[in-house]
Amino acid sequence: MGYITTSDGAEIFYKDWGPKEAQPIVFHHGWPLSSDDWDAQMLFFLANGYRVVASDRRGHGRSSQIATGHDMDHYAADASAVAEHLDLYNAVHIGHSTGGGEVARYVAKFGQPQGRVAKAVLVSAVPPLMVKTDANPDGTPIEVFDGFRSALAANRAQFFLDVASGPFYGFNRDGANVLQGVIRNWWRQGMEGSALAHYEGIKAFSETDQTEDLKAITVPTLVLQGDDDQIVPYKDASLLQAKLLPNTTLKVYEGFPHGMLTTHADVINPDLLAFVRG
C-alpha cells in the first residue's frame, strides 16, 4: 500500500498485492466508495495468482480531500498516474459504476495509447451517458440527479444509509436477503470520503458523455450488468456499451442488482476470471 501525488497535488491511496511479475488486475470503484469495495474480487484474483491493484479516487476513501478535479478527466489521469508509478503493463482494468466510466476514459486516453492494457471490463457502468438530453432521450432526467445533490447536501449520512439499504443492492425488493454488514460497510466507505467530492462527482458520473471513449477502445472488453439495476438502467448502459465498443462481450444477469459484485460475487468472480484467462 502507498500514496502517489498527482501533478495538481492530490494524494492518491493505492493497494498493490501479489507477485509483481504476475499479470495485474486493476480495479476502479464506484461512487461514493473506495477500493475496499473490491475486497471480494481482490482476494479472489490474488488466490488465483494475479497481482491486484486498486486505488481510492481523489476525494474518496483514504485519498486526500482535494477541492478540485472531481471530473472524469482527472479520475482517468489519476488512474494513469498510478499505473505509471507501478509500471503496469498487460493489465486488465475492471470498473464498477462510476469506475466503469473511469476505465473507459483511462483506456481510451491513456492505457491503450501507451500499450499498457490487455483487456477491460465494465460492470454496471455509467457510460455512455446517464442524463436525459435531446440527443439521449431515454436517459435519466436531470431532476433525479438534482435530488441526489439535495439529499447529500441536507444529510449525507442518512442519504448514504438509504441508498445502501435500498436500491443499490436491491435490498428494497420483496424477499431480498438484507445483509446489514454490507449496508454498514457501504456507509463506512462513503462517509470516509469528502462531501465536496461526492457532491461534484454526481455531475461527473451523470453528465459525462463517453460515447467517443467507448468507440475508441479496441482491446477485448467484457460488459456485465444486472437487469434489476435500479441505479444505472441497463438498457441505457450495458446494451448501448455493447453497441459502441468494437470488441465486446455482453452478459446481462436476470434479477441482479447494481451492487451485484458484492451480493453475487460467487457468480460474477468466475465469469471475470474466465474472461481474463480467455
Side-chain angles (χ1 to χ4, degrees):
M1 297 186 294
Y3 286 86
I4 64 161
T5 302
T6 67
S7 59
D8 67 338
E11 293 183 340
I12 304 297
F13 171 86
Y14 67 87
K15 305 174 187 180
D16 179 13
W17 303 341
K20 299 300 181 280
E21 68 278 6
Q23 184 177 19
I25 313 295
V26 186
F27 299 93
H28 304 250
H29 66 80
W31 176 97
L33 305 172
S34 75
S35 56
D36 290 355
D37 199 46
W38 289 106
D39 284 354
Q41 285 70 44
M42 292 185 73
L43 291 173
F44 175 81
F45 275 95
L46 186 65
N48 278 279
Y50 291 88
R51 178 182 184 181
V52 293
V53 175
S55 58
D56 291 356
R57 188 168 300 120
R58 62 170 57 208
H60 294 61
R62 288 138 296 202
S63 292
S64 63
Q65 296 197 8
I66 189 169
T68 56
H70 304 299
D71 56 69
M72 206 61 76
D73 282 336
H74 280 86
Y75 296 167
D78 293 350
S80 181
V82 173
E84 291 174 26
H85 175 73
L86 297 177
D87 198 27
L88 302 179
Y89 283 92
N90 193 36
V92 180
H93 285 262
I94 304 177
H96 176 245
S97 197
T98 300
E102 181 177 303
V103 166
R105 180 62 50 92
Y106 164 74
V107 172
K109 188 174 182 180
F110 298 100
Q112 196 170 260
Q114 294 170 354
R116 294 182 178 275
V117 179
K119 296 180 180 180
V121 183
L122 306 181
V123 185
S124 309
V126 297
L129 177 63
M130 283 196 73
V131 73
K132 180 179 181 178
T133 65
D134 290 342
N136 186 41
D138 295 325
T140 302
I142 188 68
E143 290 79 10
V144 172
F145 302 111
D146 289 341
F148 289 173
R149 281 182 276 263
S150 295
L152 189 151
N155 190 334
R156 181 170 64 134
Q158 186 61 51
F159 176 50
F160 285 180
L161 185 61
D162 292 342
V163 172
S165 302
F168 197 92
Y169 296 109
F171 291 157
N172 56 340
R173 297 305 197 200
D174 290 342
N177 179 26
V178 179
L179 303 171
Q180 290 299 326
V182 168
I183 294 169
R184 294 181 185 184
N185 190 42
W186 199 100
W187 187 89
R188 174 193 67 83
Q189 290 177 69
M191 294 305 294
E192 191 175 20
S194 156
L196 176 61
H198 295 158
Y199 187 92
E200 295 188 351
I202 294 170
K203 180 179 178 68
F205 74 66
S206 65
E207 298 182 43
T208 305
D209 189 338
Q210 297 195 257
T211 301
E212 296 307 314
D213 290 334
L214 296 174
K215 290 180 179 179
I217 296 171
T218 57
V219 298
T221 304
L222 177 65
V223 173
L224 304 178
Q225 193 165 14
D227 70 0
D228 194 32
D229 190 327
Q230 300 174 68
I231 304 297
V232 179
Y234 81 101
K235 291 181 180 179
D236 302 325
S238 58
L239 299 192
L240 296 182
Q241 293 158 24
K243 292 179 180 179
L244 292 166
L245 288 159
N247 186 3
T248 185
T249 301
L250 170 66
K251 186 165 186 177
V252 177
Y253 299 87
E254 183 178 357
F256 282 20
H258 187 66
M260 65 184 184
L261 284 158
T262 298
T263 58
H264 296 82
D266 60 326
V267 175
I268 306 298
N269 286 355
D271 287 350
L272 292 173
L273 181 62
F275 174 73
V276 169
R277 286 178 171 172

